[in-house]
Amino acid sequence: MARLKFGAFLAPHHPIGEHPMLQFRRDLDLVEQLDALGYDEFWCGEHHSSGWEMIASPEMFLAAAGERTKRIKLGTGVVSLPYHHPYNVAQRMVQLDHMTGGRAIFGSGPGALASDAHTLGIDPMTQRDRQDEAIGIIRRLFNGERVTAKSDWFTMNDAALQILPLQEEMPFVVASQISPSGMTLAGKYGIGIISLGSMTTQGLMSLQQQWQFAEDAAKKHGTKVDRADWRVLLTFHIAETREQARKEAGAGLMRWHNEYNVGTLQRPGLTAFSSPDEAVDKTAFVEGAASTIGTPDDLVKTIKNVMQVSGGVGAIIGFVHDWANPENTRRSWDMVARYVVPEINGYIDGLRRSQKFVIENRAIFERAGQAVMAKIMENEKAAEALKVTGPGRVAIPAVNAPDLQKEAAKR
């Protein structure tokens, strides 16, 4: 089985009340930590309202992150294309790719918050068509074409990029919720997908159908989609025990749900939680739960279920949140890297096989120990020295050492 990639997605969702400057710096600290831990990708989004989501330019944030990291890929999650002239987006992404040494991933969407579109005077009914139109233009620019185009929302006259992306082909990725539009767009252009709707039970269970939308569109347009380019978003908080994870995440989860999802966005069908325990129980301990609050083993089980339900994806992207305090949040990401990633990708399978082989073939290795001891016992001084340097005093396996009393009796 192909190894899964792992990453993080920062919307961000930060509770109102903390100094924005310190939030930005702490988020950059997290990217640096994830890079050191070996995560493959980091994503951050674009929002202009709601209070909780305060990164307005993912390109600016990722450029700063690029200076503090070495290898992690940096994705815009996402640039809301209807908000920008396509030529400007292309220019910024090319610059980001060069500034990060070819680590940029171009993720786009139509715009998630209706309040953002309202602020910019954009009709929500036009957003998905505009994203489609912009992707086509930006791909042509990245290919080095000189483009003349006139639309109801932008004009380009003999437009060409002075600098092309550093990468031979910068990855294109579109965001997808539960509707078929994002997957259909991915299929049309044969590009990658990041599924955001998988953070809900409904979205998780619909993954297989979602992929079918992409494949149908690819067939229609003569392109191909690859599951290796499919990223699925999950929410989790990990600790040594379920009880500890519950204790660390409960209050923050309750606040995020009650103040942001219910109070601010007023998502249909949601009601406020009455206690941190209820928040944890209804988020992570109901049938078909899409979130994990527990141990590394619990997250391994969730990921394996995602692979089964979806039919296979290329990357698991964890949603960055403030359910726990900064220290416990960083420890959660650390534990995922230490225990979950190697378990999923088989990095420790060889160590287990080696241990099992040694245990099951003890008789073979005892023969080797006997040969060593035979040489020692041939020398009277060496045999006498075992009283001082025998088992428990030096780093030799006890099974290779003789019974000193038994050897004395023989002599």
Side-chain angles (χ1 to χ4, degrees):
M1 183 181 70
R3 289 174 173 170
L4 273 177
K5 293 181 179 179
F6 284 80
F9 185 99
L10 177 75
H13 283 188
H14 290 317
I16 299 171
E18 185 176 336
H19 197 310
M21 178 190 70
L22 299 180
Q23 288 178 325
F24 285 130
R25 290 182 177 177
R26 193 170 71 242
D27 289 338
L28 288 169
D29 289 343
L30 176 63
V31 189
E32 193 171 2
Q33 178 196 8
L34 297 177
D35 182 57
L37 289 172
Y39 283 89
D40 299 288
E41 298 176 355
F42 178 85
W43 298 76
C44 74
E46 172 192 357
H47 301 92
H48 307 280
S49 57
S50 87
W52 280 60
E53 304 183 68
M54 29 71 79
I55 290 180
S57 172
E59 303 97 327
M60 288 181 65
F61 183 90
L62 295 176
E67 291 299 296
R68 297 177 59 169
T69 56
K70 297 178 180 178
R71 48 164 300 281
I72 195 168
K73 297 283 188 178
L74 301 167
T76 55
V78 296
V79 174
S80 299
L81 291 182
Y83 303 170
H84 309 276
H85 193 293
Y87 186 79
N88 289 336
V89 174
Q91 289 264 57
R92 294 198 302 266
M93 289 305 304
V94 167
Q95 181 171 331
L96 178 64
D97 199 39
H98 279 267
M99 291 180 68
T100 59
R103 290 187 281 148
I105 303 174
F106 176 41
S108 72
L113 296 179
S115 50
D116 286 353
H118 173 77
T119 298
L120 297 169
I122 297 173
D123 181 356
M125 298 301 292
T126 68
Q127 288 177 254
R128 282 157 183 80
D129 290 339
R130 290 184 178 186
Q131 180 194 4
D132 185 347
E133 188 176 15
I135 287 176
I137 292 291
I138 293 169
R139 281 168 67 88
R140 292 176 62 190
L141 291 169
F142 280 6
N143 288 333
E145 294 184 35
R146 187 170 293 278
V147 179
T148 295
K150 186 172 180 62
S151 173
D152 60 346
W153 61 292
F154 69 85
T155 299
M156 298 173 66
N157 296 317
D158 298 319
L161 297 176
Q162 296 186 102
I163 307 172
L164 296 181
L166 182 60
Q167 300 175 79
E168 188 171 358
E169 285 199 28
M170 187 191 300
F172 273 61
V173 177
V174 293
S176 172
Q177 295 277 358
I178 296 178
S179 76
S181 59
M183 303 298 280
T184 300
L185 196 59
K188 176 180 178 179
Y189 290 104
I191 57 180
I193 305 145
I194 183 166
S195 290
L196 310 181
S198 51
M199 292 194 298
T200 67
T201 300
Q202 180 186 4
L204 187 63
M205 298 309 295
S206 70
L207 287 176
Q208 187 62 265
Q209 178 61 61
Q210 291 284 304
W211 184 251
Q212 190 63 52
F213 292 142
E215 288 191 324
D216 290 346
K219 184 177 181 180
K220 177 181 177 181
H221 293 278
T223 64
K224 291 183 179 180
V225 285
D226 190 338
R227 287 180 179 270
D229 299 324
W230 187 14
R231 299 157 175 87
V232 169
L233 202 63
L234 294 179
T235 48
F236 50 75
H237 180 74
I238 303 304
E240 286 82 355
T241 66
R242 287 184 180 178
E243 292 72 20
Q244 186 65 26
R246 171 187 290 270
K247 179 181 177 181
E248 292 173 359
L253 167 60
M254 178 179 171
R255 182 179 181 186
W256 171 73
H257 177 84
N258 290 0
E259 292 187 16
Y260 181 70
N261 292 304
V262 177
T264 303
L265 299 186
Q266 301 176 40
R267 296 192 187 277
L270 295 184
T271 57
F273 295 137
S274 60
S275 69
D277 278 337
E278 182 190 12
V280 173
D281 288 337
K282 291 188 175 180
T283 300
F285 293 100
V286 294
E287 187 68 26
S291 299
T292 302
I293 298 175
T295 66
D297 288 342
D298 292 325
L299 184 55
V300 167
K301 182 178 178 181
T302 296
I303 293 172
K304 289 182 176 179
N305 180 60
V306 168
M307 297 300 286
Q308 182 177 5
V309 168
S310 66
V313 303
I316 297 295
I317 308 297
F319 186 78
V320 181
H321 49 69
D322 288 346
W323 294 355
N325 65 31
E327 294 75 24
N328 290 330
T329 296
R330 289 172 67 91
R331 179 161 175 76
S332 174
W333 287 100
D334 178 81
M335 293 188 72
V336 172
R338 290 165 62 195
Y339 301 114
V340 178
V341 173
E343 188 66 37
I344 291 294
N345 283 334
Y347 296 150
I348 52 180
D349 289 353
L351 297 174
R352 290 188 176 126
R353 287 193 297 268
S354 180
Q355 180 191 36
K356 185 171 185 278
F357 182 82
V358 171
I359 292 171
E360 293 179 348
N361 293 274
R362 186 68 259 163
I364 297 174
F365 308 124
E366 286 177 359
R367 177 71 175 163
Q370 291 167 7
V372 172
M373 293 312 305
K375 286 296 181 182
I376 293 176
M377 299 310 297
E378 288 176 0
N379 186 297
E380 185 173 345
K381 292 182 178 180
E384 186 67 20
L386 278 177
K387 296 177 182 180
V388 179
T389 62
R393 297 182 179 88
V394 294
I396 62 172
V399 70
N400 292 342
D403 184 326
L404 295 181
Q405 291 183 344
K406 185 176 180 180
E407 292 294 336
K410 285 180 180 180
R411 293 171 67 83

